[in-house]
Structure formats: structure tokens, C-alpha cells
Amino acid sequence: MTDATRGRVRALWALVVLVLVVTVVLAGTRGRAWFEARQVESAQRDALAAGKQIAVNFATLDYRTVDADTARVKAGATGEFLASYTKSLGDLRTLVVDNKSTSSVERAEAALVSGDHDSAQVIVGVIAPTTNSNVPNGEKKTYRMKLALREVGGTWKVERLEFVG
């Protein structure tokens, strides 16, 4: 084999190695981006489901089970919302029990506004038939809520809840 042929073979092998290295690097970066996108999508799905359930829990109250109902809401709360809900719990309990109030969710729809690995914004609409001593035959109430969610210890919790029009 001549020196020129050896040089061409070496150049060809160098080119093959370079192409393999570039392919591995591209596959690694693309694979990482794909994996990262799947992780965010999974977190968003979990946040949406949690937000919907928390809104259902929030709109479900029965004077006979008010302590368990409010405990479910507190279990799904954190931060600002947990503090304000806990602070108003005594008045809420009195109001629900004294008026023999019941509220259960007939329908709930939710949409993700935004989200990443550990925070999300969700809009939830709830239709809740409600009865109390003033309206014994009941009425359907509609609530639209914007929930700011935070992932805390592997669980999505609401940190802010706003009623929206």
C-alpha cells in the first residue's frame, strides 16, 4: 500500500469516527430534549388532574361531613391558600352547619393554562347543585376558578385559588 493510499484510508477512518461522534452527540442532545419534554408533559397532566380534583373537593361540602370535607381541601392546599382557608375554616364550618348546606359537584371541566416540572396554572369550571335551609329545593351554582399549583413532596397542591368571571 502506498503512502497516498494509507493517507486516504486514515482520512476515511477519521471521517467515519467524526461522523460517529457527531451522530452520538446529536442523538444524546435530541434524546435529552425528548426525555425532558415527556417529563414536562407528564407533570402537566398530573397538575391538571390534581387541579380538577382540588376544585371538586373545594366545591363539595355537606353539613353532616363538613370536617372531612374541609380536611380534604386542606390536604390539597399549601402556601397562601392553605393559610387563608385555615383562617376562615371556623366561620365556614359555622355557616355550613347552621344553614344545613350541601353542595356536590355535578360536572367539572379543567384546562391547563401553563405548567412545568413543579408549578402550573389551571382553570376549572364546576357546576354544583347546592341546598341549604333557605333554598331547600336547591339551585345549581357555577364556579370558575383559577388555581396556581405547586408540586410539594410528589403531590400537586393549590397555593392560590381565585374565582374568575
Side-chain angles (χ1 to χ4, degrees):
M1 197 182 288
T2 67
D3 287 338
T5 305
R6 279 190 203 115
R8 285 187 197 127
V9 170
R10 284 186 188 137
L12 182 59
W13 276 110
L15 182 61
V16 168
V17 168
L18 179 63
V19 167
L20 284 173
V21 168
V22 168
T23 301
V24 168
V25 168
L26 284 174
T29 57
R30 295 284 182 167
R32 181 179 171 96
W34 178 86
F35 179 76
E36 181 72 21
R38 298 300 81 73
Q39 293 293 96
V40 169
E41 287 174 9
S42 177
Q44 289 173 337
R45 274 193 309 276
D46 292 347
L48 179 61
K52 184 176 179 179
Q53 185 59 56
I54 291 165
V56 167
N57 292 349
F58 183 74
T60 302
L61 274 173
D62 189 315
Y63 69 96
R64 296 164 292 212
T65 59
V66 69
D67 292 329
D69 296 340
T70 56
R72 268 192 305 279
V73 174
K74 283 179 66 174
T78 190
E80 177 186 314
F81 178 66
L82 178 59
S84 67
Y85 189 77
T86 301
K87 185 177 178 182
S88 66
L89 209 49
D91 293 338
L92 174 64
R93 186 180 194 293
T94 300
L95 186 67
V96 169
V97 172
D98 288 353
N99 290 301
K100 295 189 179 347
S101 297
T102 65
S103 176
S104 59
V105 174
E106 177 180 282
R107 183 173 174 192
E109 298 292 334
L112 181 74
V113 175
S114 64
D116 57 28
H117 291 289
D118 62 357
S119 65
Q121 296 278 328
V122 176
I123 297 285
V124 183
V126 173
I127 298 173
T130 303
T131 63
N132 59 46
S133 53
N134 294 324
V135 188
N137 293 329
E139 63 183 343
K140 287 188 181 183
K141 295 202 176 206
T142 301
Y143 304 101
R144 288 175 214 81
M145 297 170 250
K146 181 178 180 184
L147 289 81
L149 300 162
R150 173 85 39 209
E151 191 269 332
V152 179
T155 303
W156 285 94
K157 297 186 177 212
V158 64
E159 64 182 355
R160 205 169 44 260
L161 184 148
E162 304 170 45
F163 288 97
V164 293

